[in-house]
Amino acid sequence: MIKAITGTKDILPEDINKWNKVEAIVRNVMNNFNYKEIRTPVFEETALFSRGIGEATDIVSKEMYTFVDRSETSVTLKPEMTASVVRAFIEHSLGKKYGLNKLFYISPMFRQERPQAGRFRQFHQFGAEALGSDNPMLDAEMIITSYKVMTELGLKNLAVKINSLGIPSSRENYKKVLKEYLSDKFDQLSEDSQKRFETNILRIFDSKVEGDQKIMNEAPVLLDYLDEESKEKFEQVTSLLDGIKIPYEVDPKLVRGLDYYTHTTFEILSGSVGSQSALCGGGRYNLLVEQLGGAQTPGVGFAAGIERILLACENENSLTLPEESIDIYVVRLDKELTQKANEIAVTFRNANLSTELDYTQRSVKAQMREANRLNAKYTLIIGGEEYERGEVVLKEMKLGEQKIFKLNSLPDIISAIKSV
RNA sequence: GUGGGUGUAGCUCAGCCUGGUUAGAGCGUCUGGUUGUGGCCCAGAAGGUCGUGGGUUCAAGUCCCAUCACUCACCCCA
């Protein structure tokens, strides 16, 4: 039996309403904040991601779905969306058309990692990017909008963490300080963290090993080494959040894996999912556009994982979905009436009523059972003596009441159903 | 890439430890409970190469090995 590729999932009809609800809320929130939807191809030239995300990151060095196509071009299924959005921004000169571009997306992403709770090889993100302004209002807006989506989905067990990575020069200075602090404690670090000491020292803060955490709790903190302007910007972001009463926690240990971040970084974590608890992550990237060959353009954005959000919703039982139902089920008493039943059903459907009927010549009892199973509000029963008199029976399922209508008065039936 | 757990009907699982005649339950599905009517109830039916391959044994769903898949955690991230 051929099965779905490891780490990919079918979204079945029984699940689709949850997805549609999340997407509807995302579109609504982003629309209220005047973000415009953008869609980019699922695959790009590999160089876009290796340059944009950073050659040394895990995503680029070991997680990308990369293949050479028939024209010998190395292409990659997008592992995240920011690089693609920035590429489109540059390619279509959006920066010249509008001073500020506020964009959002909902899209599948691909990373070849080992799947676990809340982590898949094809997963879905929604996110936003604001290109063309360095104003901290937009940094705050990233948190406000993503947090808003989650609270509208009824999520409670959330934590917003925020930090600033400043500008590259202060970060480099700080790395030296950190390196010095850790150099005499190197032997006490875990094996993984010893590797990180060389590859990306900041990420030792992420370590879940208790010994590492002890050491890092005492470590000097990047926030103390920021330049004045970065500090000021950071304060503006937090005071904007204070103004809107979004609860957050400054976490000097929050470092993020992608190379392109400058200044603000943030995450929204859920306590209701497994160990992959980051529902959303983002930050400012003032150097990325230039790095990808565009004009110097500040940017800020976020990405949120829809599967993780849905997992949190399920664990918190926060999603209320409307009960599924159809308007009317057309029952026929004998199979000679198949054509008539079909005509009536089409008439209802053309009148914008959701209508179903039997396709397997089943008994009346079976048809009624089916109508009940589909949660039909009404059944229309055709056949027998009434039909010979030119009449049909309309049954309201919840009450069990039946009324007789003339067969040629379907419009009356339609308006009767619609008026309820 | 590393480690743990689990693979028996469409779904959730029992049976495995202490091998032994036709492999079970609940839910779901289908049919029926009198001529043309759902939900509740009752009856019946369909549906399983016991993940796959090998081994031990007179005998394997049950024991052993391998393999694959799923799953959780590390790593990393959404």
Side-chain angles (χ1 to χ4, degrees), chain A residues 240-418:
Chain A
L240 282 160
L241 294 177
D242 291 334
I244 312 174
K245 297 187 168 48
I246 288 185
Y248 64 89
E249 186 185 325
V250 174
D251 181 1
K253 294 188 289 180
L254 175 68
V255 293
R256 298 186 45 75
L258 280 47
D259 280 0
Y260 50 61
Y261 287 116
T262 56
H263 298 286
T264 309
T265 60
F266 77 96
E267 279 184 1
I268 301 178
L269 305 172
S270 169
S272 303
V273 297
S275 76
Q276 303 302 315
S277 57
L279 304 188
C280 175
R284 182 161 280 285
Y285 46 87
N286 285 350
L287 306 171
L288 180 61
V289 179
E290 217 173 349
Q291 198 178 309
L292 287 174
Q296 204 279 314
T297 309
V300 63
F302 76 84
I306 297 179
E307 283 85 354
R308 287 184 188 178
I309 287 171
L310 284 174
L311 184 61
C313 288
E314 258 154 52
N315 291 343
E316 291 187 27
N317 202 8
S318 73
L319 275 189
T320 45
L321 296 168
E323 200 181 3
E324 292 210 51
S325 66
I326 61 167
D327 291 316
I328 186 159
Y329 192 100
V330 178
V331 172
R332 54 191 185 273
L333 299 187
D334 70 86
K335 62 174 188 259
E336 313 305 320
L337 291 167
T338 297
Q339 185 171 332
K340 191 70 204 168
N342 192 55
E343 283 169 26
I344 292 172
V346 168
T347 304
F348 286 148
R349 288 160 170 167
N350 287 342
N352 210 24
L353 294 175
S354 56
T355 308
E356 190 54 291
L357 74 170
D358 177 57
Y359 295 90
T360 52
Q361 305 295 6
R362 295 198 291 174
S363 68
V364 173
K365 181 180 188 140
Q367 292 180 67
M368 290 302 292
R369 252 206 267 261
E370 180 74 353
N372 188 62
R373 196 180 67 78
L374 295 174
N375 208 2
K377 295 184 189 101
Y378 292 89
T379 49
L380 187 82
I381 301 158
I382 61 173
E385 300 162 15
E386 292 92 338
Y387 185 73
E388 274 156 34
R389 289 200 300 269
E391 293 169 346
V392 291
V393 175
L394 183 69
K395 178 167 186 173
E396 187 176 353
M397 295 299 274
K398 207 160 257 169
L399 303 175
E401 286 172 1
Q402 302 193 159
K403 281 182 189 157
I404 308 286
F405 281 80
K406 287 284 178 208
L407 181 53
N408 58 17
S409 66
L410 287 185
D412 294 341
I413 297 177
I414 291 165
S415 52
I417 293 172
K418 284 190 169 177

Side-chain angles (χ1 to χ4, degrees), chain A residues 32-33 41 53 103 149 180 200 283 285 296 309 331 349 417:
Chain A
N32 290 152
F33 281 79
I53 301 169
L103 305 166
V149 169
E180 211 163 287
N200 190 344
Y285 46 87
Q296 204 279 314
I309 287 171
V331 172
R349 288 160 170 167
I417 293 172

Side-chain angles (χ1 to χ4, degrees), chain A residues 29 79 92 118 123 140 152 165 167 186 194 222 262 269-270 278 290 305 381 391:
Chain A
V29 169
H92 303 284
F123 59 103
E152 284 204 11
L165 298 180
I167 54 174
F186 185 83
Q194 290 188 353
L222 175 55
T262 56
L269 305 172
S270 169
E290 217 173 349
I381 301 158
E391 293 169 346

Side-chain angles (χ1 to χ4, degrees), chain A residues 163-164 170 174 177 219-228 231 252:
Chain A
N163 189 22
S164 175
S170 48
Y174 166 73
V177 175
V221 148
L222 175 55
L223 274 180
D224 296 331
Y225 290 81
L226 294 182
D227 59 292
E228 283 310 309
K231 272 185 193 167

Side-chain angles (χ1 to χ4, degrees), chain A residues 116-135:
Chain A
Q116 71 182 76
R119 193 169 76 183
F120 308 94
R121 291 186 173 179
Q122 174 173 345
F123 59 103
H124 298 77
Q125 292 184 330
F126 66 86
E129 315 288 350
L131 292 154
S133 168
D134 198 22
N135 194 315

